[in-house]
């Protein structure tokens, strides 16, 4: 317990004594009131001040000689302040007790003075000498409170006193007092900006403080006084990163924001495109100098950049939304998001049932803004759960988010659209209505491909009661009436019957539908249109009456409207631009919550093209003389450990470093394995891990049929790709192909065979795999080839975990003297392994993978290709054939090599030469890419 505080029993006793004394004092005061004073009080004009007797009572208690009464009075006064009541008239009585020797009383007096010192500046100045003496008080709380009161007196005349007090407090032994001095810096700066240079000196001193209690406050002072002095952060950057996890929550918010801005000025973008493609014709014809310049663009993450990403990772478990929101800004793809870190990051933004609605909506917005091709499958699986939420407003917001994902990521547009169509059968009207509105917007982007969806919506029209949803369906019918010529007139017929009972927004769309059908199908709808226009002419709503009159003059030929009538089709049937579905939230910081730029909002700068000098962050580490290190402070030892360089572990890689690492250089070399779900030292379980099944319980991967077995490929296309041209490789040429065999090294890896050829006239030595990008890329390298004679070739095997992505694996192919940047780009079909299953199991699994897990397209297959359908599909995708008795349907099954996700392919022959190609899998992006590849193979002449 801090010195000066009462124990629990003592405090109870003091309160009881104070209450008893207060009651006795009140009784005495009431008895001593004279009759004249009572009469004067009763006859006073105006409303009575009920608070005044109580305040007089408190003044008497504060002027008493008994400490217990004073303490009780101060407790009651602080209670009044906490309730928002005005107690400023008690300032003279309170300030007299500032020199009290009672620690408890003095603390309460300082709490009061901090609140009213700015309002009662003259009286506060009278006690300034007392505050100055309190700065030397043995109790750290009193010292801090005195500084807080002193900085709250907004009088320019005491600026020198405040400055001296802040400088002394910055060197105080108590971190609590040093923290208070950091807060006082901001107050003094706002009072007198001319003191900026002296305050910067104090900030520079406090930035070196190793206490977590001080870190957040001094960074806040830095942001307020000199945010542009980025040079002050250089020497303290690594220390702030290491302290981050132990700083209090609001300090974490400030530090993360500052470090994010710092990183945007000191590190290059981790997402820039600059890796040299050795296989391109441009690389082949470039001169050596140009090629060397291009190679320097290969991105290697700065260790300090990696340090920030690693140390913010534990904060993903924070319950403070502000902390999570700032990490979202720091870690997102738009800013500094690290490859492989999305999974643990996203889990922090999973919506909990206990979250308030505004928190749910905020998390939903963050997930939607972070969606990209790499993580959209995971996000859509989460959205599927949110749609079923009992909070209907949140379910509606989720549907809007699905629409934005479909707009921003074209690969999943069809998948999202199919999922939204399934929601039209939902029992909840809110979900159905929101789905219709979003589908309407999505269909505007590619209406020609979705006439079936419009027909489906027309069939459900009678069961939809929400006006906005009904109006949206009618708009779609009118806009694309020529694509549904048999259904639109029938819908208009039904609307004519119920016109008078519909809502105004629906009536307007009925009139529009009638006008468009009159222009495109006058034979069937002329009488219906005239009937609806007559009803609208006498409607109670003037908007409907005006719209009806305008439409009649526009579409019905007459002498008065002959000039306008010839433009009717161009006006009503003009093509409309597709709406842009985007979030209303544009900001990336705490201003995101308000959706306006709050005071102090700062835009993030662009990444620098070339990173500034990294040596500015090096801090000399003094090595302890004792090898045991037992006398080292715990905080110092933690910092020193992070400053020592850590070796990068490699797997069967021979590398020769040409740069000598300085022993005292403060470097934290971290493998990106820190952010990855898989590392080179962890062997994945085959097919599907238990953790994945538990995460996806109830979704498409659960309850997988035991009859499905992984088999070897029944079709192995011989297709070889160039990896390294002999001109670029200084005589070393390399090609690769996918043998479609299980990888012997790890089940999660795709097997790759390299053919290395020495095209030079001299022997090549020590051919091996060097550095990979990113460092967490899981590769099983081939053993070093000690010698390769001129004209000789050798075939070697390696394994690569592509993580179910077609993103290229970038690494270095090295000889004894040279390193060459190369990349293996997998075709989407090579990321699969074939599975065998019965037709019954196929249909069962396919029924689990509907909605957003299904992607389909209607294709036209040349007649000459009908006999080779299986061959064409197997040439693209490494899948297994599912035996079937139906000649019109071809089925194929496979699993992704890395995660074991099921991939089902079916081709249903319809009226020749059309066919429906369908892919069912939870890997939405993979499905879209595979669909395009299969379509191209099946439709080629």
């Amino acid at each position: 317990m801090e010195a000066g505080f009462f124990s629990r029993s003592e405090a109870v006793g003091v309160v009881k004594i104070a209450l008893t004394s207060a009651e006795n004092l009140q009784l005495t005061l009431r008895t001593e009131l004279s009759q004249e004073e009572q009469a004067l009080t009763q006859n006073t004009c105006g409303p009575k001040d009920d608070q005044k007797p109580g305040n007089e009572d408190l003044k008497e208690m504060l002027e008493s000689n008994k400490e217990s009464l004073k303490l009780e009075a101060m407790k009651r006064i602080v209670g009044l302040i906490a309730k928002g009541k005005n107690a400023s008239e008690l300032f003279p009585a309170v300030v007299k007790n500032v020199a009290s020797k009672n620690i408890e009383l003095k603390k309460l007096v300082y709490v009061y003075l901090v609140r009213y010192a700015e309002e009662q500046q003259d009286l506060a100045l009278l006690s300034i000498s007392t505050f100055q003496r309190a700065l030397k008080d043995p109790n750290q709380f009193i010292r801090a409170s005195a500084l807080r009161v002193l900085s709250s007196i907004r009088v320019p005349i005491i600026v020198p006193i405040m400055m001296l007090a802040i400088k002394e407090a910055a060197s105080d032994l108590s971190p609590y007092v040093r923290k208070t001095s950091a807060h006082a810096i901001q107050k003094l700066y706002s009072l007198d900006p001319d003191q900026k240079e002296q305050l910067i000196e104090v900030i520079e001193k406090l930035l070196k403080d190793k206490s977590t209690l001080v870190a957040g406050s001094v960074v806040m002072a830095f942001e307020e006084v000199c945010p542009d002095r980025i040079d002050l952060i250089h020497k303290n950057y690594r220390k702030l990163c290491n302290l981050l996890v132990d700083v209090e929550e609001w300090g974490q918010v400030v530090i993360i924001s500052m470090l994010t801005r710092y990183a945007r000025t000191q590190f290059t973008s981790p997402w820039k495109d600059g890796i040299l493609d050795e296989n391109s014709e441009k690389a082949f014809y470039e001169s050596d100098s140009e090629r060397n310049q291009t190679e320097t663009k290969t991105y290697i993450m700065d260790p300090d950049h990696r340090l920030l990403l690693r140390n913010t990772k534990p904060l993903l478990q924070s319950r403070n939304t502000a902390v999570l929101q700032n990490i979202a800004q720091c870690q997102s793809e738009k800013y500094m998001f690290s490859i492989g870190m999305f999974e643990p990051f996203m889990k922090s933004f999973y919506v909990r049932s206990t979250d308030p609605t505004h928190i749910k909506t905020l998390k939903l917005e963050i997930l939607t803004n972070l969606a990209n091709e790499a993580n959209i499958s995971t996000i859509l699986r989460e959205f599927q759960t949110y749609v079923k939420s009992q909070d209907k407003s949140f379910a509606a917001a989720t549907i809007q988010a699905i629409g934005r994902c479909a707009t921003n990521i074209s690969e999943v547009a069809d998948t999202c659209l199919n999922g939204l169509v399934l929601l039209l059968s939902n029992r909840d009207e809110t979900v159905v209505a929101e789905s219709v509105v979003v589908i309407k917007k999505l269909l505007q982007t590619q209406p020609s491909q979705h006439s079936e969806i419009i027909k489906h919506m027309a069939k459900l029209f009678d069961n939809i009661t929400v006006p906005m949803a009904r109006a949206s369906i009618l708009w779609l019918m009118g806009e694309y009436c020529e694509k549904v010529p048999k259904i639109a007139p029938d819908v208009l017929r039904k609307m004519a019957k119920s016109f008078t009972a519909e809502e105004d927004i629906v009536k307007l769309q009925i009139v529009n539908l009638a006008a468009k059908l009159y222009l495109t199908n006058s034979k069937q709808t002329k009488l219906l249109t005239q009937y609806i226009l007559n009803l609208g002419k006498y409607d109670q709503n003037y908007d409907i009456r005006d719209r009806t009159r305008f439409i009649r003059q526009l579409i019905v030929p007459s002498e008065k409207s002959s000039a306008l009538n010839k433009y009717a089709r161009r006006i009503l049937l003009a093509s409309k631009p597709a709406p842009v579905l985007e979030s209303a939230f544009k900001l990336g910081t705490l201003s995101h919550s308000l959706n306006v730029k709050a005071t102090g909002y700062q835009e993030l700068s662009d990444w620098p093209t070339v990173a500034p000098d990294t040596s500015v962050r090096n801090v000399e580490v003094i090595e302890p003389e004792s090898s045991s290190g037992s006398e080292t402070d715990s905080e110092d030892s933690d910092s020193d450990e992070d400053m020592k360089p850590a070796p990068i572990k490699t797997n069967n890689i021979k590398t020769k470093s040409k740069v000598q690492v300085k022993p005292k250089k403060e470097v934290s070399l971290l493998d990106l394995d820190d952010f990855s779900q898989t590392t080179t030292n962890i062997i994945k379980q085959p097919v599907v891990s238990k953790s994945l099944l538990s995460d996806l319980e109830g979704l498409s991967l659960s309850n997988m049929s035991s009859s499905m077995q992984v088999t070897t490929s029944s079709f192995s296309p011989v297709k070889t790709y160039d990896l390294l041209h002999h001109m670029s490789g200084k005589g070393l040429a390399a090609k690769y192909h996918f043998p479609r065999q299980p990888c012997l090294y790890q089940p999660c890896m795709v097997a790759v065979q390299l053919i290395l050829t020495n095209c030079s006239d001299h022997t090549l030595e020590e051919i091996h795999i060097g550095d990979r990008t990113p460092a967490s890329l899981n590769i099983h390298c081939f053993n070093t080839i000690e010698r390769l004679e001129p004209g000789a070739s050798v075939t070697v095997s390696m394994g690569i975990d592509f993580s179910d992505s077609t993103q290229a694996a970038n690494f270095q192919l090295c000889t004894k003297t040279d390193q060459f940047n190369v990349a293996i780009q997998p075709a989407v079909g090579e990321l699969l392994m074939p599975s065998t299953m019965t037709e019954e199991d196929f249909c069962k699994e396919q029924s689990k993978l509907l909605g957003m897990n299904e992607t389909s397209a209607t294709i036209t297959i040349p007649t000459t290709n009908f006999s080779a359908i299986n061959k064409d599909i197997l040439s693209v995708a490494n899948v297994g054939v599912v035996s079937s008795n139906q000649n019109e349907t071809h089925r194929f099954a496979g699993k992704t090599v890395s995660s074991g996700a099921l991939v089902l392919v079916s081709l249903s022959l319809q009226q020749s030469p059309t066919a429906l190609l369908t892919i069912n899998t939870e890997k939405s992006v993979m499905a879209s890419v595979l669909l395009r590849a299969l379509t191209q193979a099946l439709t080629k002449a």
Side-chain angles (χ1 to χ4, degrees), residues 11 163 325 367 380 451 773 828 880 884:
M163 177 60 72
Q325 204 162 305
L367 283 176
L380 288 181
S451 59
T773 304
V828 64
S884 173

Side-chain angles (χ1 to χ4, degrees), residues 703-709 841 845:
N703 302 322
M704 212 172 278
S705 174
S706 59
S707 62
M708 292 183 292
Q709 299 178 356
D841 287 329
E845 296 300 330

Side-chain angles (χ1 to χ4, degrees), residues 179 183 186 211-221 223 240-241 243-259 312 315 318 320 322-323 326-327 590:
K179 174 186 178 74
H183 291 164
Q186 304 170 58
S211 173
T212 56
L213 197 62
V214 180
S217 300
V218 66
V219 171
M220 188 66 204
E223 292 285 76
L240 289 172
C241 288
L243 292 180
L244 188 58
V245 71
D246 296 318
V247 176
E248 47 86 22
E249 290 179 340
W250 292 108
Q252 290 172 347
V253 171
V254 176
I255 294 175
I256 293 172
S257 178
M258 184 275 293
L259 291 179
T312 52
L315 301 184
S318 174
N320 188 308
V323 175
N326 272 264
I327 298 177
L590 286 178

Side-chain angles (χ1 to χ4, degrees), residues 39-81:
L40 181 62
T41 303
Q42 294 174 358
N43 296 330
T44 301
C45 296
K48 296 181 180 180
D49 185 0
D50 296 333
Q51 188 66 28
K52 185 173 182 179
N55 288 348
E56 292 295 336
D57 188 18
L58 292 172
K59 290 179 181 178
E60 292 287 344
M61 295 174 69
L62 289 170
E63 294 172 358
S64 171
N65 293 326
K66 295 182 179 180
E67 294 290 334
S68 59
L69 288 178
K70 293 181 179 181
L71 184 62
E72 175 61 23
M74 286 307 306
K75 289 180 179 178
R76 288 168 56 182
I77 291 171
V78 172
L80 291 174
I81 295 173

